[in-house]
Protein backbone atom coordinates (compact mmCIF):
# COMPACT_ATOMS: atom_id res chain seq x y z
CA UNK A 1 0.00 0.00 0.00
CA UNK A 2 3.04 2.26 0.25
CA UNK A 3 3.40 4.20 -3.04
CA UNK A 4 7.13 4.64 -2.40
CA UNK A 5 7.56 0.87 -2.49
CA UNK A 6 5.66 0.67 -5.78
CA UNK A 7 7.87 3.39 -7.23
CA UNK A 8 10.95 1.52 -6.08
CA UNK A 9 9.66 -1.68 -7.62
CA UNK A 10 9.00 0.09 -10.93
CA UNK A 11 12.56 1.43 -11.00
CA UNK A 12 13.85 -2.06 -10.26
CA UNK A 13 11.84 -3.60 -13.12
CA UNK A 14 13.20 -1.05 -15.59
CA UNK A 15 16.72 -1.71 -14.29
CA UNK A 16 16.23 -5.44 -14.84
CA UNK A 17 15.20 -4.80 -18.43
CA UNK A 18 18.28 -2.67 -19.03
CA UNK A 19 20.51 -5.34 -17.45
CA UNK A 20 18.94 -8.10 -19.56
CA UNK A 21 19.57 -6.16 -22.75
CA UNK A 22 18.80 -8.26 -25.86
CA UNK A 23 17.34 -11.01 -23.67
CA UNK A 24 14.75 -8.66 -22.21
CA UNK A 25 12.10 -9.87 -24.64
CA UNK A 26 12.14 -13.32 -23.06
CA UNK A 27 10.79 -11.83 -19.83
CA UNK A 28 8.42 -9.19 -21.18
CA UNK A 29 5.31 -10.73 -19.63
CA UNK A 30 6.92 -10.78 -16.19
CA UNK A 31 8.32 -7.27 -16.54
CA UNK A 32 5.35 -5.56 -18.15
CA UNK A 33 2.40 -6.98 -16.21
CA UNK A 34 3.16 -5.20 -12.90
CA UNK A 35 4.11 -2.01 -14.75
CA UNK A 36 0.84 -1.96 -16.69
CA UNK A 37 -1.08 -2.54 -13.46
CA UNK A 38 0.63 0.46 -11.85
CA UNK A 39 -0.52 2.69 -14.71
CA UNK A 40 -3.97 2.45 -13.10
CA UNK A 41 -2.66 3.53 -9.69
CA UNK A 42 -4.54 6.41 -8.02
CA UNK A 43 -1.21 7.98 -7.01
CA UNK A 44 0.03 10.38 -9.69
CA UNK A 45 3.72 9.76 -9.00
CA UNK A 46 3.25 6.00 -9.25
CA UNK A 47 1.58 6.43 -12.66
CA UNK A 48 4.46 8.66 -13.73
CA UNK A 49 7.11 6.16 -12.62
CA UNK A 50 5.14 3.39 -14.34
CA UNK A 51 5.17 5.41 -17.57
CA UNK A 52 8.92 5.88 -17.28
CA UNK A 53 9.50 2.20 -16.56
CA UNK A 54 7.29 1.14 -19.45
CA UNK A 55 9.22 3.45 -21.77
CA UNK A 56 12.55 1.93 -20.73
CA UNK A 57 11.31 -1.65 -21.07
CA UNK A 58 9.82 -0.99 -24.50
CA UNK A 59 12.98 0.81 -25.62
CA UNK A 60 15.09 -2.23 -24.72
CA UNK A 61 12.66 -4.85 -26.05
CA UNK A 62 11.60 -3.07 -29.25
CA UNK A 63 10.25 -5.70 -31.70
CA UNK A 64 9.79 -8.22 -28.88
CA UNK A 65 6.98 -6.14 -27.36
CA UNK A 66 4.73 -6.47 -30.43
CA UNK A 67 2.89 -9.59 -29.09
CA UNK A 68 1.91 -7.43 -26.09
CA UNK A 69 1.01 -4.41 -28.21
CA UNK A 70 -2.77 -4.54 -27.47
CA UNK A 71 -2.16 -4.32 -23.73
CA UNK A 72 0.38 -1.50 -24.12
CA UNK A 73 -1.83 0.41 -26.54
CA UNK A 74 -4.82 0.15 -24.18
CA UNK A 75 -2.73 1.50 -21.32
CA UNK A 76 -1.31 4.28 -23.47
CA UNK A 77 -4.77 5.36 -24.63
CA UNK A 78 -5.59 6.10 -20.99
CA UNK A 79 -2.30 7.85 -20.24
CA UNK A 80 -2.67 10.42 -23.03
CA UNK A 81 -5.84 11.66 -21.33
CA UNK A 82 -4.38 11.59 -17.80
CA UNK A 83 -5.25 14.70 -15.78
CA UNK A 84 -1.64 15.03 -14.58
CA UNK A 85 0.64 16.95 -16.97
CA UNK A 86 3.80 15.00 -16.07
CA UNK A 87 2.10 11.67 -16.78
CA UNK A 88 0.70 13.00 -20.04
CA UNK A 89 4.15 14.23 -21.11
CA UNK A 90 5.67 10.85 -20.30
CA UNK A 91 2.97 9.15 -22.36
CA UNK A 92 3.90 11.28 -25.39
CA UNK A 93 7.47 9.97 -25.30
CA UNK A 94 6.22 6.41 -25.05
CA UNK A 95 3.74 7.03 -27.86
CA UNK A 96 6.47 8.23 -30.24
CA UNK A 97 8.68 5.28 -29.37
CA UNK A 98 5.89 2.77 -29.92
CA UNK A 99 5.02 4.32 -33.29
CA UNK A 100 8.66 4.04 -34.37
CA UNK A 101 8.76 0.37 -33.41
CA UNK A 102 5.51 -0.45 -35.23
CA UNK A 103 6.60 1.46 -38.32
CA UNK A 104 9.95 -0.34 -38.36
CA UNK A 105 8.17 -3.69 -38.09
CA UNK A 106 5.17 -3.05 -40.32
CA UNK A 107 5.48 -6.50 -41.89
CA UNK A 108 4.51 -8.19 -38.63
CA UNK A 109 2.01 -5.58 -37.43
CA UNK A 110 -1.28 -7.39 -36.75
CA UNK A 111 -3.84 -5.05 -38.29
CA UNK A 112 -6.90 -7.30 -37.72
CA UNK A 113 -6.15 -7.35 -33.99
CA UNK A 114 -5.54 -3.61 -33.90
CA UNK A 115 -8.82 -2.48 -35.51
CA UNK A 116 -11.01 -3.63 -32.56
CA UNK A 117 -8.83 -1.49 -30.26
CA UNK A 118 -9.59 1.51 -32.46
CA UNK A 119 -13.28 0.65 -32.74
CA UNK A 120 -13.66 0.52 -28.95
CA UNK A 121 -12.23 4.02 -28.52
CA UNK A 122 -13.06 5.96 -31.68
CA UNK A 123 -16.17 7.60 -30.16
CA UNK A 124 -14.28 9.21 -27.29
CA UNK A 125 -15.05 12.86 -26.59
CA UNK A 126 -11.68 13.62 -25.00
CA UNK A 127 -9.60 15.81 -27.31
CA UNK A 128 -6.26 14.29 -26.27
CA UNK A 129 -7.58 10.77 -26.80
CA UNK A 130 -8.95 11.81 -30.21
CA UNK A 131 -5.59 13.21 -31.24
CA UNK A 132 -3.92 10.00 -30.11
CA UNK A 133 -6.36 7.80 -32.07
CA UNK A 134 -6.16 9.85 -35.27
CA UNK A 135 -2.37 9.60 -35.21
CA UNK A 136 -2.53 5.83 -34.74
CA UNK A 137 -5.05 5.39 -37.53
CA UNK A 138 -2.61 7.28 -39.75
CA UNK A 139 0.25 5.03 -38.63
CA UNK A 140 -1.73 1.85 -39.32
CA UNK A 141 -2.73 3.24 -42.71
CA UNK A 142 0.95 3.89 -43.49
CA UNK A 143 1.88 0.39 -42.34
CA UNK A 144 -0.63 -1.10 -44.77
CA UNK A 145 0.88 0.79 -47.69
CA UNK A 146 4.37 -0.11 -46.56
CA UNK A 147 3.30 -3.75 -46.77
CA UNK A 148 1.82 -3.27 -50.23
CA UNK A 149 5.04 -1.72 -51.51
CA UNK A 150 7.24 -4.47 -50.06
CA UNK A 151 4.97 -7.26 -51.30
CA UNK A 152 4.90 -5.62 -54.72
CA UNK A 153 1.89 -7.73 -55.66
CA UNK A 154 -1.31 -5.63 -55.72
CA UNK A 155 -3.35 -8.72 -56.53
CA UNK A 156 -2.28 -10.24 -53.20
CA UNK A 157 -3.76 -7.23 -51.39
CA UNK A 158 -7.10 -7.83 -53.04
CA UNK A 159 -6.96 -11.54 -52.26
CA UNK A 160 -6.06 -10.99 -48.60
CA UNK A 161 -8.33 -8.15 -47.40
CA UNK A 162 -7.23 -8.37 -43.77
CA UNK A 163 -3.98 -6.56 -44.63
CA UNK A 164 -5.89 -3.77 -46.36
CA UNK A 165 -6.69 -0.85 -44.03
CA UNK A 166 -9.49 0.28 -46.34
CA UNK A 167 -11.22 -3.04 -45.66
CA UNK A 168 -11.81 -1.92 -42.05
CA UNK A 169 -12.76 1.68 -42.75
CA UNK A 170 -16.55 1.17 -42.32
CA UNK A 171 -15.89 0.13 -38.70
CA UNK A 172 -14.26 3.43 -37.72
CA UNK A 173 -15.54 5.98 -40.27
CA UNK A 174 -18.47 7.17 -38.13
CA UNK A 175 -16.15 7.91 -35.21
CA UNK A 176 -13.66 9.77 -37.42
CA UNK A 177 -16.43 11.99 -38.78
CA UNK A 178 -17.57 12.75 -35.23
CA UNK A 179 -14.03 13.87 -34.40
CA UNK A 180 -14.41 16.66 -36.96
CA UNK A 181 -16.63 18.43 -34.43
CA UNK A 182 -13.79 18.74 -31.91
CA UNK A 183 -13.24 22.24 -30.56
CA UNK A 184 -9.46 21.98 -31.13
CA UNK A 185 -8.57 23.27 -34.59
CA UNK A 186 -5.53 20.96 -34.79
CA UNK A 187 -7.71 17.86 -34.38
CA UNK A 188 -10.11 19.08 -37.05
CA UNK A 189 -7.21 19.50 -39.47
CA UNK A 190 -5.77 16.08 -38.59
CA UNK A 191 -9.18 14.51 -39.28
CA UNK A 192 -9.54 16.34 -42.58
CA UNK A 193 -6.09 15.19 -43.69
CA UNK A 194 -6.78 11.59 -42.69
CA UNK A 195 -10.15 11.53 -44.43
CA UNK A 196 -8.60 13.05 -47.56
CA UNK A 197 -5.99 10.28 -47.59
CA UNK A 198 -8.66 7.64 -47.24
CA UNK A 199 -10.81 9.11 -50.00
CA UNK A 200 -7.83 9.47 -52.33
CA UNK A 201 -7.01 5.79 -51.94
CA UNK A 202 -10.66 4.75 -52.27
CA UNK A 203 -10.76 6.55 -55.62
CA UNK A 204 -7.54 4.77 -56.61
CA UNK A 205 -8.80 1.32 -55.61
CA UNK A 206 -12.62 1.36 -55.07
CA UNK A 207 -12.78 -2.44 -55.12
CA UNK A 208 -10.77 -2.55 -51.90
CA UNK A 209 -13.53 -1.01 -49.80
CA UNK A 210 -17.19 -1.59 -49.05
CA UNK A 211 -18.75 1.60 -50.43
CA UNK A 212 -22.27 0.46 -49.57
CA UNK A 213 -21.22 -0.23 -45.98
CA UNK A 214 -20.22 3.43 -45.56
CA UNK A 215 -23.01 5.15 -47.50
CA UNK A 216 -25.55 5.23 -44.66
CA UNK A 217 -22.87 6.68 -42.36
CA UNK A 218 -22.22 9.44 -44.89
CA UNK A 219 -25.93 10.14 -45.38
CA UNK A 220 -26.33 10.56 -41.62
CA UNK A 221 -23.47 13.05 -41.39
CA UNK A 222 -24.53 14.85 -44.57
CA UNK A 223 -27.69 15.84 -42.69
CA UNK A 224 -25.74 17.44 -39.84
CA UNK A 225 -26.83 21.03 -40.36
CA UNK A 226 -25.25 22.00 -37.03
CA UNK A 227 -21.69 21.41 -38.23
CA UNK A 228 -20.78 22.69 -41.67
CA UNK A 229 -17.41 20.92 -41.81
CA UNK A 230 -18.96 17.51 -41.13
CA UNK A 231 -21.80 18.14 -43.54
CA UNK A 232 -19.62 19.35 -46.41
CA UNK A 233 -17.12 16.52 -45.94
CA UNK A 234 -19.87 13.90 -45.97
CA UNK A 235 -21.48 15.37 -49.08
CA UNK A 236 -18.10 15.44 -50.81
CA UNK A 237 -17.64 11.75 -50.05
CA UNK A 238 -21.15 10.94 -51.32
CA UNK A 239 -20.40 12.76 -54.56
CA UNK A 240 -17.27 10.65 -55.07
CA UNK A 241 -19.13 7.46 -54.19
CA UNK A 242 -21.75 8.29 -56.82
CA UNK A 243 -19.01 8.82 -59.38
CA UNK A 244 -17.39 5.50 -58.47
CA UNK A 245 -20.52 3.34 -58.12
CA UNK A 246 -23.09 4.96 -60.36
CA UNK A 247 -26.17 2.73 -60.51
CA UNK A 248 -24.83 0.82 -57.51
CA UNK A 249 -25.97 3.73 -55.34
CA UNK A 250 -29.59 3.71 -56.54
CA UNK A 251 -30.81 1.86 -53.47
CA UNK A 252 -29.56 4.79 -51.35
CA UNK A 253 -31.09 7.49 -53.55
CA UNK A 254 -33.85 8.47 -51.11
CA UNK A 255 -31.37 8.97 -48.28
CA UNK A 256 -28.98 10.91 -50.51
CA UNK A 257 -31.78 13.19 -51.72
CA UNK A 258 -32.91 13.75 -48.12
CA UNK A 259 -29.40 14.84 -47.23
CA UNK A 260 -28.59 16.93 -50.29
CA UNK A 261 -31.83 18.70 -51.22
CA UNK A 262 -32.00 20.89 -48.06
CA UNK A 263 -28.52 22.19 -48.93
CA UNK A 264 -29.89 23.75 -52.11
CA UNK A 265 -31.93 26.10 -49.94
CA UNK A 266 -28.85 27.58 -48.25
CA UNK A 267 -28.15 31.19 -49.15
CA UNK A 268 -24.37 30.73 -49.39
CA UNK A 269 -22.82 29.24 -52.52
CA UNK A 270 -20.33 27.05 -50.62
CA UNK A 271 -22.75 24.28 -49.72
CA UNK A 272 -24.62 24.52 -53.00
CA UNK A 273 -21.42 24.03 -55.00
CA UNK A 274 -20.74 20.68 -53.34
Amino acid sequence: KDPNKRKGGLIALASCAIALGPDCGDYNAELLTPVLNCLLDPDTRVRYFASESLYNIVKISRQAIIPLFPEIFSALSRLVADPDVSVKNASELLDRLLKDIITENSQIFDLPSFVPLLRERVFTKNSFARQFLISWISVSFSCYYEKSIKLNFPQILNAVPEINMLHYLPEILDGIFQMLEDSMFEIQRMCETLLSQFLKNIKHDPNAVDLAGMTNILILHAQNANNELIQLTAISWLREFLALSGVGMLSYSSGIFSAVLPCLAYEGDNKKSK
Side-chain angles (χ1 to χ4, degrees):
K1 294 183 178 181
D2 185 350
N4 290 320
K5 291 181 179 178
R6 292 197 293 279
K7 288 186 284 186
L10 289 164
I11 294 172
L13 288 168
S15 299
C16 288
I18 294 170
L20 286 166
D23 297 324
C24 177
D26 296 335
Y27 302 93
N28 269 343
E30 291 82 357
L31 291 168
L32 288 172
T33 299
V35 174
L36 293 174
N37 288 337
C38 285
L39 290 173
L40 299 171
D41 199 278
D43 188 286
T44 298
R45 296 300 296 168
V46 172
R47 295 199 305 277
Y48 174 77
F49 273 77
S51 302
E52 290 282 292
S53 296
L54 182 57
Y55 175 88
N56 286 313
I57 295 170
V58 170
K59 186 176 181 180
I60 296 296
S61 297
R62 299 198 73 83
Q63 180 179 331
I65 60 92
I66 291 180
L68 292 170
F69 173 79
E71 291 85 350
I72 297 173
F73 179 85
S74 296
L76 187 55
S77 67
R78 293 190 299 269
L79 290 180
V80 296
D82 197 280
D84 184 78
V85 175
S86 62
V87 175
K88 193 179 298 179
N89 290 340
S91 74
E92 291 174 0
L93 293 174
L94 175 60
D95 184 38
R96 288 198 291 270
L97 174 62
L98 198 58
K99 285 188 174 82
D100 288 342
I101 293 171
I102 294 301
T103 302
E104 291 168 4
N105 298 279
S106 61
Q107 291 298 295
I108 58 175
F109 181 56
D110 188 1
L111 185 58
S113 296
F114 180 54
V115 172
L117 298 176
L118 293 174
R119 189 174 59 237
E120 291 170 7
R121 296 166 174 80
V122 76
F123 294 104
T124 180
K125 300 298 183 183
N126 183 279
S127 293
F128 295 106
R130 282 175 164 176
Q131 188 173 29
F132 169 77
L133 291 170
I134 296 168
S135 67
W136 270 101
I137 293 170
S138 297
V139 167
S140 59
F141 192 59
S142 299
C143 285
Y144 152 61
Y145 278 100
E146 183 71 17
K147 283 184 177 183
S148 68
I149 292 170
K150 290 183 178 180
L151 285 172
N152 201 28
F153 290 109
Q155 66 270 25
I156 292 179
L157 298 180
N158 292 329
V160 189
E162 62 268 19
I163 65 172
N164 188 336
M165 184 62 188
L166 295 178
H167 177 75
Y168 298 98
L169 186 54
E171 300 183 44
I172 58 175
L173 185 65
D174 187 21
I176 297 174
F177 262 88
Q178 290 190 34
M179 290 184 192
L180 282 171
E181 71 182 5
D182 199 274
S183 59
M184 290 179 62
F185 179 77
E186 181 183 356
I187 294 176
Q188 293 178 19
R189 295 289 81 82
M190 288 176 67
C191 268
E192 284 189 281
T193 300
L194 179 62
L195 287 168
S196 295
Q197 291 174 342
F198 276 129
L199 187 57
K200 178 182 178 181
N201 284 281
I202 288 172
K203 291 162 64 176
H204 178 72
D205 188 12
N207 294 324
V209 67
D210 179 13
L211 298 181
M214 293 187 287
T215 300
N216 283 330
I217 295 172
L218 296 175
I219 289 172
L220 176 66
H221 289 294
Q223 297 179 74
N224 187 346
N226 296 321
N227 190 296
E228 183 175 316
L229 178 59
I230 293 176
Q231 188 174 37
L232 288 176
T233 305
I235 290 174
S236 298
W237 274 58
L238 284 172
R239 182 186 60 196
E240 297 298 342
F241 278 26
L242 283 168
L244 292 169
S245 273
V247 295
M249 299 289 285
L250 283 176
S251 60
Y252 299 96
S253 57
S254 62
I256 294 173
F257 281 127
S258 296
V260 174
L261 288 177
C263 297
L264 300 177
Y266 290 124
E267 295 181 1
D269 292 331
N270 191 25
K271 293 184 179 181
K272 289 183 179 180
S273 66
K274 292 293 183 178

